[in-house]
């Protein structure tokens, strides 16, 4: 039997406890031993969580879990950096294995945590930290272990995908879609992490570490959110045959790796374009396996609990095996050791969508296209709708592949033109070049 203790009895803690209690016999039948939920710690042990617990299981003191010699695995589900980090380090130093759903912590402090776990010969499982119920960590670590990973493209923030889907389907503006996401409880009370790409960047840092065997590199991820996208951009993207998605991209490129989160135009007929609402999906391209796609619920008590329990079972199996054989598992933690460098955003190449806000008068298009041409940025399509002589109107330009460093310079120059009334917005475009 394996004893576990949960610290943090909120959304994910409750889902995890429910699964461990209600599916106990199903899990035991599959794995051949019992997982016993011995203790749950939370700051508030009076609040009803809609779940019937065995007598005496709740405690307000996390140390009762961390110092209990019978507990094999500590499950951290409080979120945030502090005191989650200190609790995890204490568990590790007490020779307990750890399972966490804490993407922010793993993405920013994971290198230190894994090093400490290696030192003490224990495991750290973080399946639930990326894409909730989709077992993407296991897929990257095991299912695709034979592959060089060419690229990973993920819709890994449900809130922003819900907002973009609402804007696309109903033509509403960002602020109204965000309010709806908050009303339905998808967005955080402070949704900054969701809409500014930070949550996706945490998850991308974790995925990229597994894909490219590099340390967790959250600070090196380029982050851009969806707050500047208008329903007009979504409409123009549609006319051009694209959908706008907040993509988290990790890509092998010229001996380096690109790590970026930004709104991206994706051809409408690509499967990932059809991932709508709060759903998540991750496309992984390996050199042996080719194209693969994983889809499911990226959040919520039960999907995330499902991922937490899968880590508990994996670690539990190793503990039981080593108890039976008397030999401790050697592959306790996989420390990423590649020295592969991350490419700066200015060094990438992509196709681009530009929304210029220009005064509607003769010669404007040639002024703008002249600047683009002088930076080797070649145009594939232009859209300008309606006539409002002398007024500022959107002028949409789609380009062939260009260098981001040229785009940065060209936009700076165009935004200084007297015919341009507002800051230019640009969106990177994925897909095959026409
Ligand atoms: P919640 O806020 O719902 O739950 C956290 C719980 O931990 C709360 O009950 C909180 O109490 C309690 N807590 C806070 N500090 C302590 C402490 N020092 N000791 C004991 N208990 C404490 O968060 P979630 O369940 O939503 O998230 C948990 C983790 O899972 C986070 O890292 C999150 O990023 C991750 N995650 C969440 C998903 C989701 O769908 N919710 C999906 C994927 C990952 P109080 O409320 O009183 O502060
Ligand atoms: N806020 C996150 C999301 C929760 O919207 O995807 C799951 O990590």
């Amino acid at each position: 039997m394996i004893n576990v203790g949960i610290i943090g009895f909120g959304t994910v803690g409750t889902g995890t406890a429910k699964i461990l209690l209600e599916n106990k016999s199903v899990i035991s039948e599959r794995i051949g031993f019992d997982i016993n939920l011995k203790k749950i710690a939370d700051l508030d042990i009076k609040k009803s969580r809609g779940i019937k617990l065995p007598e005496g299981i709740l405690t307000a003191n996390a140390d009762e879990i961390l110092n209990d010699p019978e507990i094999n695995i500590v499950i951290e589900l409080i979120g945030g950096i502090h005191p989650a980090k200190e609790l995890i380090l204490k568990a590790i130093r007490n020779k307990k294995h750890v399972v966490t759903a804490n993407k922010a912590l793993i993405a920013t402090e994971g290198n230190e945590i894994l090093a400490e776990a290696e030192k003490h010969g224990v495991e750290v499982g973080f399946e639930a930290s990326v894409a909730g119920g989709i077992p993407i960590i296991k897929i990257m670590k095991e299912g695709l272990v034979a592959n060089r990973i060419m690229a990973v493209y993920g819709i890994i923030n449900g809130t922003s995908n819900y907002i973009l889907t609402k804007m696309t389907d109903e033509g509403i503006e960002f602020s109204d879609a965000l309010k709806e996401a908050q009303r339905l409880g998808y967005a955080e009370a402070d949704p900054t992490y969701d809409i500014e790409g930070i949550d996706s960047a945490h998850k991308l840092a974790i995925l990229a570490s597994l894909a490219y065997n590099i340390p967790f590199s959250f600070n090196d991820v380029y982050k851009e959110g969806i707050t500047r996208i208008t329903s007009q951009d979504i409409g123009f993207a549609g006319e051009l045959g694209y959908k706008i998605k907040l993509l988290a991209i990790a890509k092998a490129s010229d001996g380096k790796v690109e790590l970026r989160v930004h709104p991206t135009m994706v051809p409408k007929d690509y499967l990932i374009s059809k991932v709508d609402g709060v759903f998540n999906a991750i496309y992984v391209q390996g050199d042996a396996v080719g194209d693969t796609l994983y889809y499911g619920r990226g959040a919520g008590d039960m999907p995330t609990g499902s991922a937490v329990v899968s880590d508990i079972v994996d670690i539990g199996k190793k503990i039981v095996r080593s108890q039976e054989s008397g030999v401790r598992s050697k592959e306790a933690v996989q420390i990423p050791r590649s020295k592969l460098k991350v490419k700066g955003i200015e060094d990438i190449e992509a196709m681009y969508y530009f929304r210029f806000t220009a005064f509607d008068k003769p010669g404007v298009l040639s002024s703008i296209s002249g600047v683009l041409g002088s930076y080797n940025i070649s145009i594939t399509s232009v859209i300008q709708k309606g006539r409002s002589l002398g007024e500022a109107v959107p002028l949409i330009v789609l380009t062939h592949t260009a260098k981001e460093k040229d785009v940065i310079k060209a936009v700076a120059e165009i935004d200084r033109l007297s015919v341009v009334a507002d800051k230019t917005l640009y969106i990177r475009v994925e897909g095959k070049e026409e």
Side-chain angles (χ1 to χ4, degrees), residues 231-279:
S231 60
Q232 234 182 9
D233 295 315
I234 287 177
F236 287 131
E239 280 186 47
L240 293 162
Y242 294 89
K243 273 202 178 172
I244 300 178
K245 294 287 179 192
L246 182 69
L247 284 195
I249 302 173
K251 213 190 227 181
S253 157
D254 310 324
K256 292 189 175 175
V257 56
E258 295 178 17
L259 294 183
R260 45 193 170 101
V261 172
H262 50 70
T264 309
M265 278 175 36
V266 190
K268 270 184 194 170
D269 57 349
Y270 279 27
L271 278 178
I272 204 156
S273 288
K274 301 179 201 300
V275 175
D276 284 333
V278 285
F279 276 85

Side-chain angles (χ1 to χ4, degrees), residues 1 10 20 26 55 78 89 115 143 163-164 185 220 264 272 281 307:
M1 184 171 76
L20 287 174
V26 173
E55 203 62 24
I78 69 176
L89 289 177
I163 291 171
L164 290 172
D220 292 334
T264 309
I272 204 156

Side-chain angles (χ1 to χ4, degrees), residues 7-14 41-44 47 49 59-60 62 76-80 83-84 87 100-105 128-132 188 199 203 298-301 304:
I7 307 179
F9 198 27
T11 306
V12 182
T14 306
D42 197 277
L43 299 175
D44 181 353
K47 186 171 163 186
R49 316 276 173 168
T59 172
E76 180 278 308
L77 297 173
I78 69 176
L87 293 175
T100 179
N102 196 332
K103 57 242 172 173
L105 181 66
S129 65
V130 182
E188 315 285 330
D199 179 68
K203 294 165 179 167
D301 54 351
T304 313

Side-chain angles (χ1 to χ4, degrees), residues 80-99:
I81 307 299
H82 304 290
K85 181 181 172 186
E86 291 70 23
L87 293 175
I88 286 181
L89 289 177
K90 185 165 183 186
I92 290 172
R93 287 168 189 150
N94 285 353
K95 296 256 185 297
K96 297 189 186 306
H97 303 277
V98 170
V99 171

